[in-house]
Amino acid sequence: MSKIYNDSYIYCPKLATHRTLDGFSANSVHHLSQLYFCPSCQAHKSRYDCYHNIECKFCSHCITDYSHTSNDTQRCAKNCFVCPSCTSSLTIFITDHQINGKLGKAFQFSCVYCTYTYQSGVITSPKSLHSIISSEKKEAQHQTFYKYQQQLSTASDAPVKQSETRLKNLSLSNISRTPDSPIDTLGPEDISEVRNRVEITTHPDHSNQYPVARKLTVKKSYKCLNCNTFLLLPHTEDGLLPTTNKLRVKFNAVDYMPSIKLTNTISPTILTTPPTETRNLQLECRRTFLINLMNPLEVDMKIHVGSLPYIADNFITGGNKLKFKVELSIPIPDIVIKSSGSTKNLIKTIPTACLTTKNTISKAELISRMGSALFKEKPEDTLDVSESSESLVAQGAGWSLIPLFISVQMNDETDTWDSSDLLDIKIPLYITVQAELPQAIKVLKLSKQNLSYGYWNVIDIGTYQVTK
Amino acid sequence: MWIETSTGNRIAKDAAISGPDNIVISGNCTIHPGASLHGDVTLLTPSTGPTILIGKYSHLNSNCQIIPPVLQDDKHGPVAIGAYCIVGHDTVVRLATIGNRVIIEDGCDLQNLSIIYDCCVIRKGTVVPPKMVIPPFSEVLGVPGTDFKVGELSNAYKKLIETEAKELQLQT
């Protein structure tokens, strides 16, 4: 089950203490992978619920450590320059020159990706590249302002103020079209020349663009805004290479919160025919989906999955969303997901709904899990159809599948069904988690004895067509 | 369709691997049909090491190309791809080094002599210009000169990319 490419988002109201869902906005939901988990508040934290501090800064190109420089240092002070047009690296060539009998050098910068080039002036005494470029930049600015000053100070060029009545009486006169404009005299043989001219004119003008020093890369520490607990702290000892990725403190949400994914039900014929995904919801007919829950902790996790009886309007987009009411029902909202800690075999930790038949290992595992369903005398349409609650749940090492029923109803009986009715549905689920404290939080010796938190999870199931 | 080795590598019979003597593939790697590895190039400084080195649990999707970077005229340098790397469909890799736990999505063009450090995600259709260095924990997207951007990637991706690579090895 891919935790990187899934459509499950967690609602993060900025700095809210009571996490209530007040609408779906792309700015207020984040992927689980982008969140931190505060062990003290026992809540997830987005980047906006934290404040950060720069622990280390370095140039990724020359690996120079700038951690001990002033806060203003944001760019590499060595010869690492990037193109002002495309931010690619610049290569530097040196050419020898002679000015007034003195030997000098000029530097030519050329971009490795685009056509940008820059030629510095000739210098006769040693100077850093940064000071050469900054002095030339200043000189160019001075020249520009000097030109403006000259134009402004020329009194004769100032426009003559004319009276309003005179301006009104002005009329267009003596307008004649010059018959021999170059475009009229152009023959078909000159077309290629014109094309060349166009290419030359569209060529970017780099005359007033100077090489830019490379931006530094930073390593940040993050702290919770509520309780000031470190959520992420990198190792930044002297002598350690800046590109090292070791961390002193790490509280990522993926390590403490369950991963949730919605999948279709598993067809018993999956081993013989590849599954075909139907993107439709039949009107007044129940469709079953599977909620895949994965426990990242080394202890068992008690989860309650809550939902509203129907999906609110602001979670549905589509042409005629007001015509329909999408009802939700979770027959088994409470579940205990066992830890996958002792399981060494990775395939055992993948939920059945995410197994494929493309690989022999995955197929063998799928056969072993589906065996009982396959050899039934009358195979049912889906794996989950049964009256007893035990068979509605599939469980394994660190994962669990529970069903979710979705049905679409007409809001008003007078409304008419249309074959072009498409609904883009997002399902909000309230997840409550209870577990023993994991070892990484126990060592902090916080006052809380258990792990207990709740949050809104929004699952984007995509666009479905409503059929009759 | 697949050749399976004792070290757990799965190599598609349709994969174009030239100069296999100069290629080292660590365990549990998957190379899909249409992927091409150019190990038969001439190195600028002949060494005993491999021209193409692929770390464990790496995943090369269909029609991707691994070409050692050009150093001088027709002379090439070696290319090293770290462990738990996923290279997408139709991606061309000409760079020098890819670190561990890197996802390169479909249709990317990683140009000559670039370096990608550990734990990076290169988004779909990205062009990484020549001699570019991508720092660790970066998300890269776009084309230079238009919308090229190197952003920060969450630390959680270190574990996620590793799991993703391991699961892909079991599921595709």
Side-chain angles (χ1 to χ4, degrees), chain B residues 5 77 149-150:
Chain B
T5 67
K149 194 183 161 193
V150 181

Side-chain angles (χ1 to χ4, degrees), chain A residues 1-2 5 33 60-61 63 86 88-89 112 217 220 222 245 247 250 252 255 346 354-356 359 362, chain B residues 10 103 105 117-118 129-131 133 136-137 145 152 154-157 159-160 164 166-167 169-172:
Chain A
M1 186 176 106
S2 176
Y5 300 102
S33 58
S60 62
H61 205 250
I63 320 290
C86 68
S88 303
S89 302
V112 292
T217 306
K220 294 177 195 166
Y222 285 90
N245 304 321
L247 297 164
K250 181 186 75 169
N252 291 320
D255 298 330
L346 185 74
C354 300
L355 290 173
T356 63
N359 186 303
S362 178
Chain B
R10 293 170 68 239
I103 294 182
E105 292 184 354
Y117 275 100
D118 294 354
K131 296 181 183 175
V133 180
F137 291 104
E152 190 187 339
S154 166
N155 177 266
Y157 274 81
K159 186 183 172 185
L160 295 180
E164 184 86 9
K166 280 183 175 176
E167 286 188 3
Q169 200 263 335
L170 293 172
Q171 289 188 293
T172 56

Side-chain angles (χ1 to χ4, degrees), chain A residues 254-315:
Chain A
V254 283
D255 298 330
Y256 299 95
M257 293 167 73
S259 305
I260 296 172
K261 189 180 182 178
L262 208 71
T263 54
N264 288 315
T265 50
I266 311 149
S267 166
T269 59
I270 188 171
L271 296 169
T272 49
T273 51
T276 50
E277 198 184 356
T278 51
R279 307 286 296 178
N280 57 43
L281 290 168
Q282 206 174 344
L283 207 59
E284 291 171 6
C285 191
R286 195 178 73 179
R287 181 167 171 173
T288 313
F289 288 88
L290 295 172
I291 303 173
N292 295 247
L293 297 151
M294 287 187 80
N295 175 7
L297 299 176
E298 69 266 27
V299 290
D300 293 355
M301 200 179 240
K302 198 176 165 188
I303 293 182
H304 175 84
V305 183
S307 76
L308 297 168
Y310 59 89
I311 301 175
D313 287 344
N314 48 0
F315 288 91

Side-chain angles (χ1 to χ4, degrees), chain B residues 22-99:
Chain B
N22 304 323
I23 299 171
V24 172
I25 302 169
S26 308
N28 298 306
C29 291
T30 308
I31 299 175
H32 279 263
S36 60
L37 280 76
H38 300 253
D40 56 349
V41 294
T42 317
L43 292 180
L44 181 70
T45 48
S47 64
T48 51
T51 309
I52 299 176
L53 172 66
I54 301 173
K56 64 178 181 179
Y57 285 102
S58 287
H59 201 90
L60 307 186
N61 272 308
S62 59
N63 301 326
C64 72
Q65 292 182 58
I66 311 294
I67 307 162
V70 179
L71 298 179
Q72 215 178 66
D73 303 325
D74 287 341
K75 307 282 186 187
H76 293 253
V79 54
I81 298 174
Y84 311 106
C85 287
I86 301 165
V87 180
H89 303 268
D90 307 313
T91 287
V92 182
V93 176
R94 285 195 185 87
L95 38 71
T97 311
I98 302 179

Side-chain angles (χ1 to χ4, degrees), chain A residues 24 81 143 321 468:
Chain A
F24 180 83
F81 289 94
Q143 279 179 1
K321 66 172 187 176
K468 210 163 186 180

Side-chain angles (χ1 to χ4, degrees), chain A residues 109-310:
Chain A
F109 298 78
S110 54
C111 179
V112 292
Y113 183 74
C114 70
T115 56
Y116 172 81
T117 53
Y118 176 79
Q119 172 92 43
S120 75
V122 179
I123 56 148
T124 50
S125 56
K127 249 181 174 182
S128 76
L129 282 177
H130 280 274
S131 55
I132 295 168
I133 288 163
S134 61
S135 63
E136 286 185 8
K137 210 189 252 181
K138 274 179 193 167
E139 199 181 315
Q141 281 171 355
H142 287 163
Q143 279 179 1
T144 313
F145 283 112
Y146 181 72
K147 205 165 73 184
Y148 291 156
Q149 196 184 7
Q150 289 295 311
Q151 281 176 354
L152 289 169
S153 62
T154 316
S156 60
D157 291 348
V160 182
K161 202 174 180 183
Q162 292 182 337
S163 69
E164 207 170 306
T165 46
R166 194 180 168 188
L167 284 170
K168 270 182 189 171
N169 294 333
L170 282 173
S171 61
L172 293 171
S173 60
N174 297 328
I175 295 172
S176 62
R177 190 165 166 271
T178 49
D180 296 323
S181 69
I183 198 81
D184 293 334
T185 55
L186 217 70
E189 65 277 3
D190 299 325
I191 286 173
S192 60
E193 195 191 330
V194 172
R195 277 187 188 144
N196 287 339
R197 274 189 214 164
V198 170
E199 275 176 24
I200 291 161
T201 51
T202 53
H203 193 275
D205 180 23
H206 300 305
S207 60
N208 54 357
Q209 288 184 305
Y210 295 89
V212 182
R214 188 178 289 274
K215 268 188 183 176
L216 298 179
T217 306
V218 294
K219 279 189 196 176
K220 294 177 195 166
S221 65
Y222 285 90
K223 275 183 179 180
C224 174
L225 263 179
N226 276 348
C227 62
N228 213 23
T229 308
F230 268 115
L231 305 179
L232 188 82
L233 182 64
H235 259 293
T236 52
E237 277 99 35
D238 286 337
L240 203 68
L241 207 66
T243 50
T244 312
N245 304 321
K246 288 184 178 174
L247 297 164
R248 286 166 66 188
V249 179
K250 181 186 75 169
F251 285 106
N252 291 320
V254 283
D255 298 330
Y256 299 95
M257 293 167 73
S259 305
I260 296 172
K261 189 180 182 178
L262 208 71
T263 54
N264 288 315
T265 50
I266 311 149
S267 166
T269 59
I270 188 171
L271 296 169
T272 49
T273 51
T276 50
E277 198 184 356
T278 51
R279 307 286 296 178
N280 57 43
L281 290 168
Q282 206 174 344
L283 207 59
E284 291 171 6
C285 191
R286 195 178 73 179
R287 181 167 171 173
T288 313
F289 288 88
L290 295 172
I291 303 173
N292 295 247
L293 297 151
M294 287 187 80
N295 175 7
L297 299 176
E298 69 266 27
V299 290
D300 293 355
M301 200 179 240
K302 198 176 165 188
I303 293 182
H304 175 84
V305 183
S307 76
L308 297 168
Y310 59 89

